[in-house]
Every structure is written in structure tokens, then in C-alpha cells.
Amino acid sequence: KRGQPSAEYFIDSKGKKIKSIHYEYSISNSHNGIGEKPIYGLITTKYRIKYGGDWDWSVYGRYNYTHGRVLPSLTTVKFYSENQDVVSESIVLNQYEKTTLNNKEYIFLQETKTSDLNQQFDYKVFKYPHQYTTSTDDFGQGITNLKNKGVLNAVIETYEYKAMTNASARLYFNGGINKYKTDLPVVDQVYTFQPRSSVYSFTPSSIIGNMFKFDENYKPVIKFNEYTLLGNPRSMQKEGDTKQVFLWDYNDTYPVAK
């Protein structure tokens, strides 16, 4: 759909499958997180990768073309044994949220759900500026600035947890929060999920009492002190570390010194 592959096969020099990836899509005419309507395109229908010797791989894809914004909805990845049996399989299901902002209908990736042959599920949740109310602290002002500048697809928080089909318990194992600057739509500080032990109770970020609140297991890891005019980081430092400065050249496109 719209030039996207429906399947890809990785084949060894003997013509046996090593890996396959199968794609399913849904179509939406909604704007994406930066207000763009659907665009169109078409890519090549077949290509071959040659590494030499036993590493010659032929990669094939079947492509269709259609109208509308293409949203990846389901991806299935399979790995094969020498006998062409499936030894590993994972399925990734994407769930989207549709919302109306400023008289425009937008669509955002809300959650991914990955399952394996053992029916264990890994979930990844995304949170965006429109999901937060107004607050007066630096966190909240940065989010308000993103809304005012129309940067609606900036990720504020992601977090991941594991769950089994026969159990309600959730094991939270990964996450991150981006704090944005109050005057520019760029990241000011990054927090990551750093629990000391297994975490089965988690509090997603939200605005409570006019303040931005988040789980206690988040710790700051890096601070972006300064950016160039084009939004490239000029100065940054890891938590408790020395400051690093980058020099950019070629019209502020490539870093040339650190």
C-alpha cells in the first residue's frame, strides 16, 4: 500500500529462507503529528544484496499502491532453521489514537504490542503533548510551548512492560521522559527508567495540582544546555559529568569538532 512492502524474505546462497517479515497496513486520511496530510510514493519492487560467498542474500518484496496515509498495523517476523521450520516468531501490533486539535483530525501511535510463541507480551506506550493539561512548572511550560508551536508529535514519555496472557501482573522494565525547553521545541533534559529492583507498580506521567508528576524510578541522565540556530545540540552533559561542546559546520549540518 502506497509503495510499502507486504513481505520480505532473506534467503541464503542455497535458496533457503533465513528470515521473513510480513507487513499489514491500515489507511487513514488524518493528519500526522505535525499536521501533514497523506503523501504518495512508490519504491522498487525487488532488490538483491550480495556479500560474497555464503553471505549472498536475495531480498524480495511485493508492493501495492493506494491512496491515503499508510499506517503499519501488524508486523510478523519469523526465523527459520536449516529444515525451514519456524524457530522463532514475533508479532508486533500497532495501535493508534485519533484526536481532533485545532479543527484538524490527527492520528498518533499510541501503543505497540509484541508477542512471541510463548504468548508473552511486551507493551510500549507513547504519550504526547495533547495528553497533558496546562501546568506552570518548567516541564509543563515546555509542553505548552510544543502545543503553541504545533509540534504535536514530540514524545513526552514512553514506557514498556511485560505481561502474560494468563496473568494480570505487569513487569515494568524500560521507560523514558523528555523534558522540553520553554522557548524552543527541543529537548532540554532526558530521564530514563532506573529501578533498583523489579517494578510491578508504575505511575505514568501526568499533571497533578498544576505540576508535572512522574514515577519515582525515573532519573535524569543527560542535559542539553545549548542548541545551534538549526536545532543541533551545541552543548550537553551527562548527569554528574563534564560538559561536552560540539562545533558544527557546512551550514550547521555536520559536527566537525568535539
Side-chain angles (χ1 to χ4, degrees), residues 6-207:
S6 60
E8 293 182 87
Y9 297 92
F10 297 81
I11 303 172
D12 63 17
S13 59
K14 299 177 182 178
K16 293 186 176 182
K17 289 183 293 186
I18 300 173
K19 173 183 176 183
S20 66
I21 309 176
H22 302 265
Y23 305 93
E24 295 182 22
Y25 304 90
S26 58
I27 303 296
S28 172
N29 287 318
S30 302
H31 294 72
N32 63 7
I34 55 177
E36 293 180 346
K37 289 293 283 184
I39 57 176
Y40 309 95
L42 191 65
I43 57 179
T44 56
T45 58
K46 184 174 68 175
Y47 52 96
R48 184 178 180 88
I49 301 175
K50 293 182 66 64
Y51 293 97
D54 293 335
W55 293 96
D56 289 359
W57 287 359
S58 298
V59 187
Y60 299 91
R62 187 180 67 186
Y63 304 87
N64 298 316
Y65 184 81
T66 188
H67 173 77
R69 180 173 298 286
V70 177
L71 302 174
S73 58
L74 187 70
T75 302
T76 303
V77 180
K78 298 180 181 181
F79 288 90
Y80 299 86
S81 68
E82 181 70 20
N83 296 326
Q84 298 297 272
D85 297 322
V86 177
V87 295
S88 175
E89 177 179 306
S90 63
I91 300 175
V92 181
L93 175 65
N94 294 329
Q95 296 183 0
Y96 295 88
E97 174 201 14
K98 186 180 293 186
T99 186
T100 300
L101 301 168
N102 301 322
N103 297 320
K104 291 182 179 179
E105 191 177 70
Y106 293 85
I107 193 161
F108 299 88
L109 178 62
Q110 183 181 41
E111 180 184 272
T112 64
K113 176 183 175 182
T114 304
S115 62
D116 58 22
L117 293 175
N118 297 320
Q119 292 299 297
Q120 176 175 286
F121 297 93
D122 286 358
Y123 294 84
K124 185 174 184 178
V125 180
F126 301 81
K127 300 195 70 175
Y128 302 93
H130 72 276
Q131 296 172 305
Y132 298 85
T133 57
T134 302
S135 69
T136 56
D137 60 347
D138 285 346
F139 262 108
Q141 290 184 31
I143 295 174
T144 298
N145 180 59
L146 292 174
K147 294 179 184 178
N148 292 338
K149 288 181 166 52
V151 187
L152 304 178
N153 64 335
V155 176
I156 306 300
E157 180 183 21
T158 64
Y159 59 89
E160 300 180 61
Y161 62 90
K162 294 180 179 293
M164 300 292 291
T165 55
N166 59 349
S168 59
R170 297 179 175 182
L171 173 61
Y172 295 88
F173 65 93
N174 193 23
I177 287 180
N178 293 321
K179 177 184 177 183
Y180 290 83
K181 292 191 177 296
T182 59
D183 57 340
L184 298 172
V186 293
V187 175
D188 178 58
Q189 196 168 16
V190 175
Y191 293 70
T192 60
F193 190 63
Q194 302 179 36
R196 294 184 177 179
S197 59
S198 299
V199 175
Y200 293 92
S201 178
F202 177 81
T203 304
S205 61
S206 61
I207 304 297

